[in-house]
Amino acid sequence: MDAKRERLTIVAAGLVIGVIAATLARLGNPVNMGFCIACFLRDIAGALGLHQAAAVQYIRPEIPGLVLGSLAAALVKKEFAPRGGSAPVTRFVLGFFVMIGCLMFLGCPFRMILRLAGGDGNALLGLVGFAAGILAGVFFLNRGYSLKRTYKQPATEGWVLPVMMVVFLALLIAAPAFIHFTEAGGGPGGMHAAVWVSLAAGLIVGALAQRTRLCMVGGIRDLILFREPKLLLGFAAIFAAALLANLALGSFAPGFIEQPVAHTDGLWNALGMFLAGYGCVLLGGCPLRQLVLSGEGNADSAAAVLGLMVGAAFAHNFGLAASGAGPTGAGKIAVMIGIAAVSALACVNTFGKKQ
């Protein structure tokens, strides 16, 4: 695929994804949350009983759809290749702290774009922090940061997370007594589109993201390192399509105050996304990209996804997640610990290997 055609394909995929995200919000998902990898993994963690925050417990079909859509696209193109062994525990820890940052901001990079497209001015501060976090990560990339290479793994390693996603779907449909669901209207977990609509949306987005390699972190990183804007064009297209869809649906509400599932503390919106961007650069991709790579058989990305889920459970069990009322004291401490921990991992995997 030549460069021009590749860029057009990425933009077209972004436009489709943006419309899907805005439509999901219209069909029942929380406002400005047609897609949010961090929020949806948090909801799944709650549904499985990993945390007890009753307002955010639901097995979101979009997440299994993303992984299975990526898997299907990878199988069709013969790109399913089980691999791993590139510091999986470090990736788990990075995923854990990325989630701490996302739940301070109340959204992942994907939702940050959707919040901007919905008129939420608070996301601008998040974007500034996110870009600064990526710059911090790029500092280490330029000095040799590496989690070493991956190695070919047995097929079972690559199938673990996709099979888990099938199990999640089965639990959603069967709804056994031990699965937790937010009561309808009782919080973000109680707001969702129909199961099959959400699943179909996830499958489409997962396949498109797999084919185009969409990644918000990768887009900014590549623009800084290589002056290559193609991945960033995809997220610009998501923003444009979601914005136009919101305008057409009457869902655009510009401002800072009383934005849905958001708070107005600019400093901690920025610091939360600083931590998220910083950790994602060191992981090699945003939460969306980690799910897509998991669908391709990458066991290290699966470890990062599990780290995200455990981070979500930890955040809600210990009062670290922000809310519409703003960040908690414990959450602020956790974000600062996260920045320090991620910096330590960056140093060890940059300068330590030279000793």
Side-chain angles (χ1 to χ4, degrees):
M1 186 183 297
D2 60 50
K4 183 176 180 180
R5 183 182 173 189
E6 186 177 15
R7 290 185 184 186
L8 288 174
T9 300
I10 291 172
V11 168
L15 292 173
V16 172
I17 292 171
V19 171
I20 287 174
T23 303
L24 281 174
R26 186 70 171 185
L27 293 177
N29 279 12
V31 180
N32 295 349
M33 201 190 292
F35 259 104
C36 177
I37 308 306
C39 302
F40 289 3
L41 286 172
R42 171 206 62 199
D43 292 353
I44 292 174
L48 298 175
L50 300 180
H51 70 71
Q52 304 305 314
V56 285
Q57 296 177 324
Y58 177 63
I59 295 178
R60 296 277 180 182
E62 293 90 346
I63 296 297
L66 280 166
V67 175
L68 298 177
S70 171
L71 170 65
L75 289 172
V76 167
K77 291 294 183 178
K78 297 182 179 179
E79 293 177 356
F80 181 76
R83 56 197 184 277
S86 173
V89 175
T90 296
R91 292 178 185 276
F92 178 93
V93 174
L94 288 170
F96 177 96
F97 283 115
V98 165
M99 181 60 83
I100 297 299
C102 287
L103 291 182
M104 172 57 74
F105 170 73
L106 293 176
C108 66
F110 198 163
R111 186 176 185 237
M112 178 178 65
I113 296 301
L114 297 179
R115 284 175 59 174
L116 287 169
D120 184 352
N122 300 294
L124 290 170
L125 281 302
L127 180 58
V128 170
F130 185 64
I134 292 172
L135 283 171
V138 167
F139 170 85
F140 289 99
L141 292 181
N142 280 330
R143 284 155 182 77
Y145 170 86
S146 173
L147 293 181
K148 308 300 183 182
R149 57 166 293 187
T150 60
Y151 299 88
K152 184 177 180 180
Q153 300 289 315
T156 51
E157 286 292 303
W159 282 97
V160 169
L161 201 74
V163 169
M164 285 177 60
M165 295 299 158
V166 173
V167 172
F168 290 168
L169 285 174
L171 291 173
L172 172 62
I173 295 166
F178 61 83
I179 295 297
H180 303 265
F181 293 98
T182 302
E183 294 294 331
M191 303 173 190
H192 50 81
V195 170
W196 298 111
V197 171
S198 296
L199 177 59
L203 289 167
I204 294 168
V205 173
L208 289 175
Q210 194 278 333
R211 294 311 308 144
T212 58
R213 309 301 194 255
L214 271 177
C215 177
M216 181 70 175
V217 169
I220 296 176
R221 177 201 63 204
D222 289 355
L223 185 64
I224 295 169
L225 287 176
F226 312 117
R227 303 296 186 265
E228 174 53 69
K230 66 182 180 184
L231 293 178
L232 206 54
L233 289 175
F235 275 85
I238 291 173
F239 169 77
L243 174 61
L244 291 174
N246 284 332
L247 288 169
L249 294 170
S251 302
F252 182 72
F256 289 83
I257 308 299
E258 296 184 354
Q259 289 290 337
V261 197
H263 62 80
T264 59
D265 192 320
L267 174 62
W268 291 98
N269 276 322
L271 286 175
M273 287 311 286
F274 176 89
L275 174 56
Y278 193 3
C280 284
V281 170
L282 303 184
L283 275 173
C286 63
L288 170 65
R289 184 68 181 146
Q290 298 306 317
L291 285 171
V292 170
L293 287 170
S294 298
E296 295 177 2
N298 191 314
D300 295 330
S301 290
V305 171
L306 294 176
L308 289 165
M309 292 185 68
V310 173
F314 200 94
H316 279 284
N317 283 331
F318 294 95
L320 311 182
S323 68
T328 67
K332 294 176 181 179
I333 293 171
V335 167
M336 299 312 295
I337 291 173
I339 292 171
V342 169
S343 297
L345 289 171
C347 289
V348 167
N349 290 284
T350 301
F351 309 114
K353 67 179 185 178
K354 297 177 181 178
Q355 296 175 355

